[in-house]
Amino acid sequence: LAKTTQPISMDSYEGQEVNITCSHNNIATNDYITWYQQFPSQGPRFIIQGYKTKVTNEVASLFIPADRKSSTLSLPRVSLSDTAVYYCLVDTYSSASKIIFGSGTRLSIRP
Amino acid sequence: DAGITQSPRYKITETGRQVTLMCHQTWSHSYMFWYRQDLGHGLRLIYYSAAADITDKGEVPDGYVVSRSKTENFPLTLESATRSQTSVYFCASSESETGGETQYFGPGTRLLVL
């Protein structure tokens, strides 16, 4: 099982860059790395996904080293609205029963 | 309105009763999933379905039954509800059979078993 490990919580301030690292030592060749964001009383929402190297979209960047045993979600210039729980997910649907969401990282942004 | 919907949004039931949570998606996605999220914890996969009439167990399937007679619907039934099944239940769908596709989540159903 490609279990993930993330920090339980992080604090930052508005305007700062926030990096959340996820460890996934047992990642398999076919696994992708996906990050989700969850606000209270809502379902998770997709942020970004990658397989290797770097991926960037309009809200975040994802850095994946060559060994793929970890990944880092980077949120540039965070605002109060980025306060949420962030989940790192490693999965492939060839083994969908093994999809595991960890406990996530609770990110708190302060003014 | 297109998307993924769940009903009911809130449900209170008693121990031993049967409860069915509904999930409907309008995208014709192949994959659908049911998760439970307990207070202060991450999501745990209960069951998933790769297509109509194809379902399989996730991490915590005991006490739950699913069916998928139509692509767009994926109901989750608690045959005899227990207090330990008090949780928030999320349904999700995903387009492709290949690895790495985004999951789209519904708004959740809050279930309280007394």
Side-chain angles (χ1 to χ4, degrees), chain A residues 5-6 39 42 46 49 51 63 75 84-85 87 89-90 93 111:
Chain A
T5 303
Q6 304 173 232
F39 297 113
Q42 295 184 24
F46 171 86
Q49 183 181 79
Y51 183 80
F63 299 92
L75 304 172
V85 179
Y87 294 97
L89 180 65
V90 174
Y93 290 177

Side-chain angles (χ1 to χ4, degrees), chain A residues 14-35:
Chain A
E14 283 191 295
Q16 299 294 307
E17 178 184 78
V18 171
N19 296 311
I20 306 174
T21 297
C22 179
S23 173
H24 29 78
N25 292 322
N26 296 325
I27 189 169
T29 302
N30 295 332
D31 286 342
Y32 284 73
I33 300 159
T34 311
W35 285 80

